[in-house]
Structure formats: C-alpha cells, structure tokens
Amino acid sequence: MTHKVAIAISGAVSLGSYESGTVYELIHAIKLHNEENPDNRIEIDVLSGASAGGMTAAMIAQKLLYDGAALEDPINNSLYDVWVNRVDILDLLNPDLGDDPDKSLLSSNRIRDNAKYVFLTRYNQLDPVIKPHIAVGEKIQLGLALSNLNGVDYELPTFSATDTGMDSGEFIQTRNQDRYTTEVTDTCDHADYWVDVMTAGRACGAFPLAFRPLSVQRQWDCADYKGLGAKDWASYFTGQYSYADGGIFNNYPLGLARDLALRVDKEAGDADKRFYFYISPDAKVTSADYSFSADKANMVQAMGQIVKSILSNSRFQDWVQTDSLNSELEKLHRRAKGLLDVVMNAKPDELSAMRTTADKFCKMLYLESSGGDQTAQQNNYRKDYQHAEATFMPYVPTGVHLTTEQKTVWLNSILVMEVNANLNGKDKMRIYTITAEASELASSPIAAFFGFLDVRFRIHDYWVGRLKARNMINQIIHHVKQGDAHQLPLNISPLDTTEIEAKLEEMSALRNATMSDVAKTTRKKLYQRLKNRSQLIMKSLGLNFIVRKLILQFVLKGKIKQFLKL
C-alpha cells in the first residue's frame, strides 16, 4: 500500500529559512520510512505554496523528481543554500544591470539570477541524469498561488426581464486571486518547461514594493481557467497577465493543495491514504483588533482599518473554505451514524419502503448528473457507492453484520445526502500543521523581513524549522505505535532532537535580537536605499524639488535613522 502526502507552504518572506528546515526534515523522515518499509511506501505527490512558500514548492518539485541528492544533507542541500545563503540584504541592495529603481525597493534581478541558478543550472549539462528522491512518486501536482493585478473575468449565466420578454445574459465577476498549476513528470525535465515554472514562482513571491510585479503568459484552455467559469479572453486580451505576491489573496494554500490532490485521488479509498502537511512560520490565530474604535477613528485610520480587514480576510479564504468543507463532512458523518441506527432497527416493511425511496432518489440524481447517459450514470453511481462503502462501513459496530438490504438502504440514503450537498467523493482533510510562535524565531520583526539583514537569523530559524518538524514527526510515530489508524503510518524510530536543541540553545540570544544587532555597515546601506527610494516615490507623486527636500530633511531622514538605530 502507498500513502500520499500533500504539502502546503504559506508565505514567509525571509522565514523561508524556517520552512526549508521543516520541509527538509519531513522529506528525510519519509526517506527513512521508505528505506525500511518498501512495501508500504509514503510518497509526496502534491506541493502548493504562496509567496516564499510557492518558490520553495517549485524548487522541491524539481529536486525531488530529478535530483534527489540535492535534498539529502541537513545543511548542504538546495533549500539551505537558497533560503540561508542566497537571500542576504547586501546582495539584494546591490544594483544590477536592468534594475529599475522606480519599480522596487530591492533588486528584482538578483532574485531572477538566484532563480536561474536554482532551476536552470541543471540544464547546463547536455543530458542531465534523472535521479529521483526516494520520498517521491512518479509525478507531482504543483500549484502556486498568484495575485493577478489585471483580474480574470468569470461569468455566470443569468436571465433578466425586458420589455420584449425574458433575455439571457451574464453576471461578470472579476477575480484577482489566481493560481498556476502544473503536473511535473519525467517528460518535464528540460529548460523550457522550468523557465515557465521559474517565472511563475518569482511572480508568486513578488512581495509588493520590495520586488516588482512580473508578467506571465497564460492560456485560457488550461486547468486553471477552462471549465471553471473563466471567460475565454482570446478575443480581447493576449493572456499576458501581471502578477504580484500570491500571499496577498491566498497566503494559506490548503484549498489549492486539496484541488490538486483530487486530480489524482480518483478511486474509492484514495482519501484514506491521503495526508496533508501545512507549513508556516506562524500559527493561524486571531487577527481581531479590539483597540480600534469607530467613535475615535479619523478618516485615515478608518480607511487603514478597512484595507487591513480586506487583506486579512482575503489572505486566508482558502483556509476558510477548507474548514467549511470539513465541517460539512463532519455533519454528514453524524447523520450517517444516526441513519445506521434507524436502518438497523427498522422492521422489514419499513426497510422495504426506505429502499424503494432511496433507490428512486439515487436513480433521479445520477441520471440528471450524467445527462441521461446510462453508462455514465452506472459508472458514477458505482464509483460513489464504493467510496461510501469504504468511508462509512467502519461505523458498523464490531460483531454486527448488516444484511444486503440494510447495507444498500443505508449507503444509498447516504449517497442521496452526499449528492444533494455536493459532498459525494469528498473526504475530510487530515492536516498536520507545523508552525511556530514569533517569540521562537529570529526573523519575525519588520513583517518577517528581518532575516534578510543577517545570516545568523536565517540559520537560527532553519534549525527551529527542523526542531518543529521533528517534534511533529515524533508525535506521529508515537500515535502510530499506540495503534491510532488515523495517522500517517510512519514506521521509523523516533528522531533525536538533542543536537538541534543544543544548537538552538547556543543561538538563543538571537530570538531577542533588535536592529542594533545588525551590522552597522548593513544598516547604513539600507539607509541609503530607503532614502533614495523615498525621493523617487515623492517625485512620482508630483511633489516639487523643494517640497521633496524639506520632507526628506525634516521628516523622513530622522524616521529612517530612528528605525535603523543609526
């Protein structure tokens, strides 16, 4: 038997270092399991990400499928190289040929060059050899959250009353939450494919102001648009969309991971073998602001709170939808258990009447859904019946044997409820969350940009990620050994955390680091960049030279120096 793992990675900015440590340990644990249990494999086959998590997900997909050795060593691996070694502020502040100071605070071209190094160095070889990691299957479903600055139109057919009668029309909704999905296989191991993925990955991580937005060519007839209600834009638009950081509208891409998993989980019982890991440097906690008062707020404060509320809600819609689906499924399971009691206690004539009713409803529902195609009707019914059988039969008490009629009545009645609630074929997501508190991390200050200022912060947080992941893995191992059949069946010895804990103890002071702990030369370079960009912003706003000078001299310079402790 093979169990499947989907990994959803949130936005993190410089805390991509934390997420990298977490992902490394998870991959390592699955590797150990597969080496020791070749007949009961665990495979990573779905990766989704937002912002820094999207860039990480794309990189992991390539390394897992083609270059497994790049993820083997705890320190000398691609994740560590990118998120600890290659995202230093001094590099990002260096002007690069082609960088436009009007478009971003930091060097977008440096990010481009790092991305080329990560994704395209492999293709400097004439015929690169494919050596997959033992933790991966034959293919990976990859999804990146994107924020579409142009917007994509979705249409809903409508009817309206006019003087001449009833006219058909459409209701248009423009959505800015977007995504880039692809199936990664052996046939994708070439530069042209990874240039496209790399570009989407960079767009996914194009944090506003810090990095410029990116253009990505999209086609309407792909799985992200066609069949999902998106208008075919070919007649009026080229498909060259502009994208910014995916975390703006979807920072918790669990729903995206589920959508990708459903592309491969087609058979009855597949959901029983599916597990999700949600990786983020921060736990999903309340964002309520009880200090805000409508009676005291001025216009600027009120508008700021409105913008904050919109962004806060939009960033975790994916999470809300996942939680809502799980709640609906829990309700269905409760009703299925209650219905089982009714069926088991029904008299023969009552059972016969129930079967007639359930059979009629099933025939009507499945006939309608297949447009009268008898073969499709039978196939859909058989598939959903098998899924219901695999899902709900464990609720039958031990020692109780349902008659064929009892079983058919019960499962057909469940199918009626499932289809009407659009829950047929769906299962509750079993999600492991690996998160941290801001107080445990060194890179959390200044909206998680602090890690860019000092490699020591990134090293610390990488080790925190490793520790958090090992603690979760050890909990799973413990519960599996206790006979908990609902857990990912990791069959390995507990992972030792002594070395990691000792390392973090040595670096414990970094958790309380302030701007004063950053090298002064680094702070001075950042000061010059912030001062110069402030002038450009004021100029773009139409302020004349004298006004710009006054604001810079008497307001901004002091504020920036105070912020940077200079």
Side-chain angles (χ1 to χ4, degrees):
M1 179 182 291
T2 300
H3 289 80
K4 302 289 188 177
V5 166
I7 302 176
I9 313 173
S10 81
V13 195
S14 68
L15 279 164
S17 55
Y18 165 87
E19 294 179 333
S20 294
T22 303
V23 174
Y24 167 78
E25 287 295 340
L26 182 56
I27 293 172
H28 178 66
I30 295 174
K31 170 197 171 184
L32 295 178
H33 171 90
N34 289 344
E35 288 174 341
E36 299 173 20
N37 305 272
D39 297 326
N40 186 24
R41 285 176 54 80
I42 298 173
E43 295 177 352
I44 299 170
D45 69 335
V46 171
L47 292 164
S48 71
S51 191
M55 300 167 74
T56 300
M59 178 171 58
I60 296 168
Q62 187 191 56
K63 303 310 177 188
L64 281 176
L65 279 170
Y66 310 142
D67 187 15
L71 300 174
E72 289 286 352
D73 190 88
I75 301 300
N76 186 24
N77 64 69
S78 292
L79 293 167
Y80 189 94
D81 186 34
V82 169
W83 285 111
V84 176
N85 294 334
R86 289 181 168 270
V87 290
D88 193 82
I89 192 67
L90 294 179
D91 187 48
L92 296 175
L93 287 173
N94 283 335
D96 195 40
L97 185 64
D99 266 325
D100 187 339
D102 278 336
K103 293 183 178 178
S104 63
L105 175 64
L106 303 177
S107 172
S108 295
N109 284 354
R110 292 287 177 173
I111 296 295
R112 176 204 61 196
D113 293 342
N114 282 342
K116 284 183 176 180
Y117 170 80
V118 171
F119 289 105
L120 303 182
T121 299
R122 172 177 177 79
Y123 304 108
N124 292 336
Q125 309 171 54
L126 185 60
D127 291 304
V129 178
I130 294 178
K131 294 182 179 179
H133 196 282
I134 194 173
V136 74
E138 294 182 355
K139 59 184 70 173
I140 287 177
Q141 305 297 324
L142 174 65
L144 310 178
L146 296 169
S147 295
N148 192 318
L149 301 182
N150 303 105
V152 179
D153 285 340
Y154 287 77
E155 57 185 344
L156 178 69
T158 63
F159 293 100
S160 59
T162 67
D163 294 339
T164 59
M166 189 75 74
D167 283 351
S168 60
E170 59 185 16
F171 176 84
I172 299 296
Q173 179 193 34
T174 302
R175 301 180 193 172
N176 297 95
Q177 180 176 323
D178 206 343
R179 66 186 191 179
Y180 176 97
T181 67
T182 182
E183 181 177 82
V184 190
T185 66
D186 285 356
T187 62
C188 303
D189 190 21
H190 56 85
D192 290 343
Y193 176 85
W194 287 99
V195 165
D196 290 342
V197 175
M198 176 189 73
T199 304
R202 288 179 57 211
C204 177
F207 197 90
L209 300 182
F211 305 108
R212 66 174 180 266
L214 262 75
S215 295
V216 180
Q217 179 64 49
R218 307 304 306 274
Q219 303 297 327
W220 173 79
D221 59 348
C222 71
D224 296 325
Y225 305 110
K226 187 176 181 180
L228 299 179
K231 284 178 64 72
D232 186 350
W233 58 68
S235 62
Y236 57 87
F237 185 59
T238 63
Q240 191 78 14
Y241 282 110
S242 300
Y243 291 103
D245 191 290
I248 297 172
F249 293 106
N250 182 12
N251 203 44
Y252 310 101
L254 263 175
L256 176 54
R258 184 184 184 89
D259 288 347
L260 295 172
L262 290 175
R263 293 183 182 181
V264 292
D265 294 346
K266 303 285 188 183
E267 303 299 325
D270 279 353
D272 294 329
K273 296 176 284 187
R274 167 68 62 189
F275 295 84
Y276 295 82
F277 282 84
Y278 170 67
I279 296 173
S280 173
D282 59 280
K284 188 68 197 82
V285 296
T286 180
S287 58
D289 182 358
Y290 299 111
S291 64
F292 180 79
S293 170
D295 296 331
K296 299 178 181 179
N298 59 32
M299 289 186 293
V300 174
Q301 291 169 331
M303 184 56 66
Q305 194 72 6
I306 290 170
V307 171
K308 176 183 173 183
S309 301
I310 293 171
L311 290 176
S312 176
N313 279 271
S314 65
R315 293 178 80 212
F316 63 86
Q317 285 303 305
D318 224 22
W319 181 287
V320 170
Q321 291 166 9
T322 297
D323 187 59
S324 176
L325 177 59
N326 280 350
S327 298
E328 291 299 312
L329 287 166
E330 287 178 1
K331 187 186 300 180
L332 174 66
H333 280 245
R334 289 196 302 270
R335 290 176 177 171
K337 291 178 183 178
L339 185 58
L340 175 61
D341 291 334
V342 173
V343 169
M344 290 173 57
N345 294 308
K347 297 177 181 178
D349 58 332
E350 295 173 333
L351 194 63
S352 178
M354 291 171 65
R355 177 163 187 175
T356 300
T357 302
D359 288 352
K360 285 183 178 179
F361 273 117
C362 275
K363 185 176 181 180
M364 178 185 68
L365 290 169
Y366 282 93
L367 183 61
E368 287 180 354
S369 66
S370 57
D373 185 332
Q374 296 294 322
T375 301
Q377 172 193 0
Q378 293 171 0
N379 288 340
N380 289 341
Y381 170 77
R382 187 180 302 109
K383 176 183 174 182
D384 284 355
Y385 187 92
Q386 291 173 347
H387 181 270
E389 186 176 28
T391 302
F392 295 100
M393 284 303 290
Y395 289 144
V396 178
T398 303
V400 174
H401 298 284
L402 298 181
T403 66
T404 301
E405 187 166 37
Q406 285 176 322
K407 177 180 175 182
T408 304
V409 168
W410 183 46
L411 294 180
N412 276 354
S413 298
I414 291 173
L415 289 183
V416 172
M417 292 189 292
E418 278 190 330
V419 175
N420 275 293
N422 195 29
L423 296 174
N424 50 310
K426 296 183 174 68
D427 291 273
K428 184 175 180 180
M429 295 171 67
R430 289 174 292 183
I431 307 167
Y432 298 106
T433 60
I434 307 179
T435 61
E437 300 292 335
S439 60
E440 299 176 287
L441 299 163
S443 303
S444 291
I446 55 174
F449 269 88
F450 202 49
F452 288 145
L453 305 185
D454 197 314
V455 68
R456 296 175 301 161
F457 305 157
R458 304 192 295 275
I459 292 173
H460 173 274
D461 294 338
Y462 180 85
W463 284 79
V464 172
R466 292 187 64 193
L467 180 61
K468 290 287 184 177
R470 286 205 171 194
N471 286 338
M472 172 59 75
I473 290 163
N474 287 342
Q475 284 294 321
I476 295 172
I477 294 169
H478 170 74
H479 281 274
V480 169
K481 289 183 176 178
Q482 294 297 314
D484 188 344
H486 298 292
Q487 305 296 330
L488 179 69
L490 268 175
N491 184 21
I492 58 176
S493 299
L495 302 179
D496 183 35
T497 60
T498 306
E499 179 190 359
I500 299 177
E501 289 170 341
K503 181 76 173 178
L504 287 172
E505 183 60 31
E506 292 176 8
M507 299 185 289
S508 60
L510 295 176
R511 292 196 292 271
N512 301 310
T514 66
M515 188 64 74
S516 300
D517 295 301
V518 177
K520 193 169 185 178
T521 53
T522 299
R523 286 181 279 144
K524 284 184 175 180
K525 288 187 177 181
L526 185 55
Y527 167 75
Q528 290 298 327
R529 175 60 57 90
L530 290 173
K531 186 180 72 170
N532 293 339
R533 291 299 191 264
S534 297
Q535 293 181 26
L536 286 173
I537 291 171
M538 289 189 290
K539 185 177 181 180
S540 68
L541 291 174
L543 301 181
N544 66 44
F545 177 79
I546 294 176
V547 172
R548 296 200 306 269
K549 281 292 184 182
L550 289 173
I551 293 175
L552 183 65
Q553 184 66 35
F554 295 105
V555 180
L556 292 181
K557 285 176 67 174
K559 293 288 186 182
I560 296 172
K561 285 187 175 182
Q562 182 182 19
F563 170 68
L564 295 174
K565 305 297 181 185
L566 289 173

